[in-house]
Structures are given as structure tokens and as C-alpha cells.
Amino acid sequence: MGIASVSRESCENLLTKGGADGEGMGRAITIVIGGARESLHALPYSLRLVLKRRKGFIKLAIRTGADLVPVLAFGENDLYEQVRPDQHPFIHKLQMLVKQTMGFTIPLFHARGVFNYDVGLMPYRRPLNIIVGSPIQVVQERDRSKIDDEYINHLHEKYVLELERLWEQWKDVYAKNRTSELEIIA
């Protein structure tokens, strides 16, 4: 199925070996940025992305020469209901402690059952729409010491701007019931 670790080494290997030229040409990977912290912010009808300080994927693109393609999923957070941190602060503190100690967290969520619609682990039957943005071309630099912070920040800014453009263009079509606007956080 092509599932692999999201470690730097694994991603570089996938993007630099194989493909049309044996050096990664034509290969692509999908990285779901955010992870443990973002999972705790996944509330229905809202979209909060933990992205401001996430720049490792930009550095990876520069080292491998892979273009960045912003993708936005409308409705992803609507598939499950989660215990809200503002309503259950003790549970949230416990989740953050687990995250700090073990590097991951376990969101407490529920949705529908197989034979009922009230409680279970099956996702709710709600639409999920994936929008693919314009590719951002990257100039390859394999030597990590030569990767300029200014260039990293420039590409990161372009990536965020493309996500915001996608949100503005499609929010009234695919996020009609939203309770907030797109929020890009730490």
C-alpha cells in the first residue's frame, strides 16, 4: 500500500531512489503535517493547522528537489466528535502529559456504530472533500549546510499562502457549516 515511516531518512529514501530515472524522478509522498498536537485541535466544523513552526517538510523538499503541493481536506474534522479541551481540562492536561512523555497522544473520540448512529468508532457519514493546490517548485540543494533559512521561510510562506487561498476559494462550497475560519497555529 506504500505506507512508510515519516522519518527524514525514510522520506528522503522514497524521494531519491526508484522512479523513472532510478533517482526518485516521478515519485511523490504525502505527509500529513501536524500530528499529535493537531489531533487535539480537530473539532467538527473548524480547521486549525499546526504549521507555523513546521518546516522540516520544506527542508526535505529542498534536499530532494521535490515540489511542494498544498492540499486541504474539507470535512476531515467532521468525521468524529472529540472530547473538547475547554470542557474537560483534566483530560486535556493528561493528554498533553502523555504527548510530552511519549511523543504521541491519544485523542478521545467517538462517532457512530455499525448498527446505530449514536455511539461507536465508525466515522459519521459526512462529506470529505480534498482540494489540491498549485505546485510550488523547489530548487534542489543536497548539501544541508548550504540550505538558506531565508529560502526555507520563503517556501513556507508560499505554502501557507496557497493553503489560505484554497480555503478562501472553497470554504463557502465545502465548509458552509463552519464555526470558525482557517487558523494556522504554532
Side-chain angles (χ1 to χ4, degrees):
M1 288 180 47
I3 297 173
S5 165
V6 76
S7 70
R8 180 179 49 83
E9 295 82 12
S10 176
C11 291
E12 281 186 13
N13 187 44
L14 289 168
L15 291 171
T16 58
K17 294 181 174 57
D21 63 355
E23 295 182 9
M25 182 181 196
R27 298 196 70 186
I29 60 173
T30 301
I31 300 174
V32 180
I33 301 164
R37 283 199 54 220
E38 194 166 276
S39 70
L40 296 179
H41 295 289
L43 299 173
Y45 310 109
S46 68
L47 186 55
R48 298 179 81 190
L49 303 177
V50 178
L51 189 59
K52 283 187 179 177
R53 293 184 293 203
R54 302 285 169 110
K55 297 183 181 174
F57 71 103
I58 304 284
K59 294 173 189 174
L60 175 67
I62 294 170
R63 284 194 303 271
T64 61
D67 291 343
L68 294 164
V69 182
V71 176
L72 205 53
F74 287 89
E76 183 179 29
N77 292 345
D78 306 343
L79 299 176
Y80 292 92
E81 297 283 341
Q82 184 174 190
V83 173
R84 297 179 61 107
D86 57 339
Q87 294 174 352
H88 300 279
F90 177 75
I91 292 173
H92 183 68
K93 285 180 185 177
L94 184 62
Q95 287 173 318
M96 293 308 289
L97 179 66
V98 169
K99 184 199 169 296
Q100 289 171 347
T101 307
M102 301 176 144
F104 66 91
T105 189
I106 301 166
L108 299 175
F109 62 90
H110 69 88
R112 65 181 179 89
V114 177
F115 299 111
N116 69 55
Y117 207 76
D118 298 324
V119 166
L121 296 179
M122 298 282 292
Y124 287 118
R125 292 180 179 124
R126 296 177 179 161
L128 178 62
N129 296 284
I130 311 298
I131 305 296
V132 179
S134 300
I136 300 168
Q137 290 191 334
V138 175
V139 177
Q140 185 174 14
E141 177 53 68
R142 292 181 189 209
D143 186 353
R144 289 188 189 137
S145 64
K146 292 183 180 177
I147 297 176
D148 183 20
D149 284 344
E150 190 175 310
Y151 186 52
I152 293 168
N153 292 335
H154 170 72
L155 289 175
H156 188 271
E157 185 178 326
K158 284 180 79 169
Y159 185 87
V160 169
L161 286 172
E162 180 63 8
L163 286 177
E164 289 172 341
R165 185 191 71 75
L166 292 173
W167 172 260
E168 289 301 321
Q169 181 178 353
W170 295 101
K171 68 182 181 182
D172 292 330
V173 176
Y174 298 123
K176 291 177 186 174
N177 298 327
R178 65 188 177 275
T179 58
S180 64
E181 296 297 314
L182 170 68
E183 216 179 322
I184 297 182
I185 58 176

